[in-house]
Amino acid sequence: MAMVKERSPKDFAIDAFLYVVLTGLALACVLPFIHVVAVSLSSRPAVDAQQVGLWPVGFNLDNYEKLIGNLQFLRSFAISVLRVVVGVIVSLVLVVLTAYPLSKDHIRMPGRTAYKICLLIGLLFSGGLIPTFLALRSLGMIDTFWVLIAPVALQIFFVIVMLNFFRGVPRELEEAAAIDGASDFQILLKVYLPLSKPALATVSLFVAVMHWNSWFDGAVFINDSTRWPLQTYLYSQVVTNPGSMIDATQFQNLTPQGQVASLIVVAAVPILMLYPFLQRYFTTGMVVGSVKE
Amino acid sequence: MLIPSVIVLILFHFYPLWGVSLAFVDYNKFRGLGGSDFVGFEVFAEVFGSAHTWQLIRNTVMIAVGQIVVGQVAALLFALMLYEVASRKFRRVVQTLATFPHFLSWVIVGGVLIQMLQTTGYLNDFIESIGLPRIGFLSSPEIFPWTIILSDVWKGFGFASVLYLAALMRVNPELYEAAAVDGAGRLARLRHITLPGIAPIVVLLACLSMGSVLNAGMEQILVLYNPLVYETGDIIDTWVYRKGILESQYSVATAVGLFKALVGFTLIMVSYWAAARFAKYNIW
């Protein structure tokens, strides 16, 4: 609030207090992660003696070298990358194809309201874990890659977001294109999609993060550990059997903490790289969803 | 254009609903769902006759309500403090750092927290070094729910504050100028301009949060809990996972899951109704 200029000592004290508290909160959010990075880069004696704070002690890359030689890690990493790419494409196509026809309020469409209600039911009501598991099993999808994609392919929440976004596009643009003889698909591709880039970027980013971060589906629907995505593998390392990766002795700096730490770092880095974009769009995402004509 | 989504909706959203009938049969794994004997509400009677089920429901509601209340209050306070700080740059840096954990999975965050909070973790090392006894953040049934609530708040308050900040940014700056001319102090401006300005969004989020009273964060708890804290830390979702997936007791797990889905659905409906009634909110 730049408009208030005169500052009393009391104002100064309040400001100082706010700066201290806010700095403390911000640090509390990142320091635990920095510690994990430091552990992943520290030597075994330092980790065992718990000497590592926020800076590596006895810097070495043994944990990461070991990780790169770990076949299961490489496989799960590749599966995670693949599920993000495939998952985002599938979800984008489904969201656009569903939202676009539903957004045409001025064109009569039999069953539009009924279909919207079906979507709403799909969004708000699920049979629960066990019925979902059995349904996927009867569809023969357990232990396949597609079990990570199909159940979350139709992002109904983002259908609503897109629907509201499409509604906000001026109808004159569409009418002009229609007069020029464009088909419905052409209007969608040439008029709507170019205008929807921010909304499409929002959907892509959020679906990408969701896919990268998902681990529970892998843990429940995939028994074969060679087909797990990275986060499910990480879960098994964090919770089920910490340190089972350590077998060979050619790396003298391996510790269970260091191995898990390096895995955590590798799993978090893609999110860190996407973070600037996420930050740019998360407010858009929330605002887009609430914009109404 | 709608055909692909109709297929996906039917196969992966509606077809599983058929499976809730598991809750009404004595499931026989060799004869399948269709061949199992229909038992009506017997499974429900068995499940809800057990004190353990009520314990689960109590754990779930306690943790979820704690997360909602503490989380929203923390997010609001954080947004107000950021808003009061004049430096735009400082504001952005703090917000950037505080929002980051929200985007990481609970496996990553859990891995980080376990290192910190376990009895031999560095937070306990610190606590011991100042002369206090070590705390069983992850092993004491009295403390564990608070570990869950506070770690959820820690992960999410930055992101949750984004909505509050957006609302604060829309408060008309002319009001502050007028107030300054009239000699209103900082506290007076906060009370008479800022808070009334964001009251609608506070009411809206309070209404909508009613819908998640049964969601205590399954992924978070699965990563952080252990049998020592089942008594207070086991929630509906984690129990359904263990019973149904790990022990293959489909009927009881489905019955409890269905109970949760129905109550959850009702709560969401009530929360939307309240949001529409008190904050003029409509999702379509």
Side-chain angles (χ1 to χ4, degrees), chain A residues 11 15 19 28 33 35 50 98 115 118 127 131 134 137-138 150 163 213 215-216 231 234 275 279 282 292, chain B residues 5-6 12 14-17 22 85 87 90 96 99-100 103-105 107 122 125 154 186 219 222 250 284:
Chain A
D11 269 342
D15 275 341
Y19 277 99
F33 296 101
H35 170 74
Q50 307 212 338
T98 313
Y115 193 55
C118 285
L134 293 175
R137 196 169 73 178
S138 77
L163 177 69
N213 280 339
W215 56 274
F216 186 66
Q231 302 268 352
L234 177 61
Y275 189 52
Q279 242 194 332
F282 61 55
K292 308 270 287 181
Chain B
S5 76
V6 172
F12 299 106
F14 289 161
Y15 173 54
L17 293 182
L22 272 169
V85 167
S87 160
F90 178 79
T96 301
T99 313
F100 182 60
F103 291 99
L104 296 171
S105 71
V107 178
Y122 56 89
D125 287 347
W154 170 75
R186 209 163 179 161
E219 296 199 345
L222 274 185
Y250 296 141
W284 289 105

Side-chain angles (χ1 to χ4, degrees), chain A residues 193-206:
Chain A
L193 291 190
L195 287 170
S196 315
K197 272 182 202 147
L200 294 174
T202 310
V203 175
S204 309
L205 279 168
F206 277 83

Side-chain angles (χ1 to χ4, degrees), chain A residues 108-169:
Chain A
R108 255 200 84 242
M109 187 175 102
R112 185 204 319 264
T113 312
Y115 193 55
K116 275 190 186 174
I117 291 172
C118 285
L119 284 172
L120 204 55
I121 293 173
L123 176 68
L124 300 179
F125 194 84
S126 98
L129 179 64
I130 307 307
T132 306
F133 173 76
L134 293 175
L136 291 170
R137 196 169 73 178
S138 77
L139 292 169
M141 296 184 74
I142 298 299
D143 272 348
T144 68
F145 173 71
W146 293 101
V147 84
L148 304 174
I149 305 287
V152 290
L154 183 61
Q155 290 288 321
I156 298 172
F157 173 75
F158 287 117
V159 170
I160 300 173
V161 170
M162 258 344 261
L163 177 69
N164 286 325
F165 190 87
F166 284 149
R167 270 189 192 147
V169 174

Side-chain angles (χ1 to χ4, degrees), chain B residues 28-44:
Chain B
N28 181 318
K29 137 165 112 171
F30 302 105
R31 287 187 288 161
L33 180 53
S36 299
D37 298 324
F38 180 78
V39 294
F41 284 91
E42 233 172 70
V43 181
F44 282 91

Side-chain angles (χ1 to χ4, degrees), chain A residues 2-277:
Chain A
M3 47 280 183
V4 192
K5 274 294 135 206
E6 73 275 35
R7 292 164 53 81
S8 64
K10 202 177 108 199
D11 269 342
F12 183 77
I14 294 175
D15 275 341
F17 171 76
L18 289 177
Y19 277 99
V20 169
V21 171
L22 288 171
T23 308
L25 284 173
L27 289 178
C29 286
V30 287
L31 292 186
F33 296 101
I34 294 175
H35 170 74
V36 168
V37 176
V39 166
S40 75
L41 294 168
S42 295
S43 71
R44 173 159 204 165
V47 173
D48 283 344
Q50 307 212 338
Q51 290 169 339
V52 184
L54 299 172
W55 200 253
V57 178
F59 180 88
N60 70 86
L61 291 171
D62 280 10
N63 283 313
Y64 292 93
E65 271 179 50
K66 171 77 167 123
L67 211 52
I68 288 172
N70 176 343
L71 190 63
Q72 191 172 12
F73 161 72
L74 294 174
R75 222 168 10 212
S76 64
F77 192 90
I79 290 169
S80 278
V81 172
L82 191 64
R83 81 174 284 186
V84 168
V85 174
V86 175
V88 166
I89 295 172
V90 169
S91 289
L92 269 187
V93 170
L94 278 174
V95 161
V96 169
L97 287 185
T98 313
Y100 183 66
L102 292 180
S103 74
K104 301 270 160 254
D105 289 324
H106 57 286
I107 300 174
R108 255 200 84 242
M109 187 175 102
R112 185 204 319 264
T113 312
Y115 193 55
K116 275 190 186 174
I117 291 172
C118 285
L119 284 172
L120 204 55
I121 293 173
L123 176 68
L124 300 179
F125 194 84
S126 98
L129 179 64
I130 307 307
T132 306
F133 173 76
L134 293 175
L136 291 170
R137 196 169 73 178
S138 77
L139 292 169
M141 296 184 74
I142 298 299
D143 272 348
T144 68
F145 173 71
W146 293 101
V147 84
L148 304 174
I149 305 287
V152 290
L154 183 61
Q155 290 288 321
I156 298 172
F157 173 75
F158 287 117
V159 170
I160 300 173
V161 170
M162 258 344 261
L163 177 69
N164 286 325
F165 190 87
F166 284 149
R167 270 189 192 147
V169 174
R171 203 183 296 163
E172 293 75 23
L173 291 173
E174 180 193 354
E175 283 160 3
I179 290 168
D180 291 343
S183 70
D184 279 344
F185 257 107
Q186 280 169 330
I187 293 174
L188 172 60
L189 286 177
K190 300 272 161 63
V191 178
Y192 277 83
L193 291 190
L195 287 170
S196 315
K197 272 182 202 147
L200 294 174
T202 310
V203 175
S204 309
L205 279 168
F206 277 83
V207 172
V209 170
M210 177 204 75
H211 268 293
W212 181 261
N213 280 339
S214 291
W215 56 274
F216 186 66
D217 50 3
V220 174
F221 303 137
I222 299 184
N223 303 312
D224 177 356
S225 63
T226 63
R227 297 180 178 201
W228 278 345
L230 181 60
Q231 302 268 352
T232 307
Y233 176 52
L234 177 61
Y235 172 68
S236 77
Q237 292 305 314
V238 167
V239 178
T240 331
N241 50 352
S244 74
M245 285 186 289
I246 296 179
D247 38 10
T249 45
Q250 77 264 37
F251 296 101
Q252 50 183 328
N253 281 317
L254 294 183
T255 53
Q257 298 98 304
Q259 274 290 278
V260 172
S262 60
L263 206 48
I264 286 175
V265 173
V266 172
V269 162
I271 301 290
L272 193 61
M273 290 185 331
L274 279 182
Y275 189 52
F277 304 99

Side-chain angles (χ1 to χ4, degrees), chain A residues 157 289-290, chain B residues 204 208 271-283:
Chain A
F157 173 75
S290 61
Chain B
L204 172 63
L208 290 180
S271 77
Y272 279 178
W273 172 83
R277 172 86 175 65
F278 299 111
K280 302 189 179 57
Y281 172 82
N282 174 14
I283 61 162

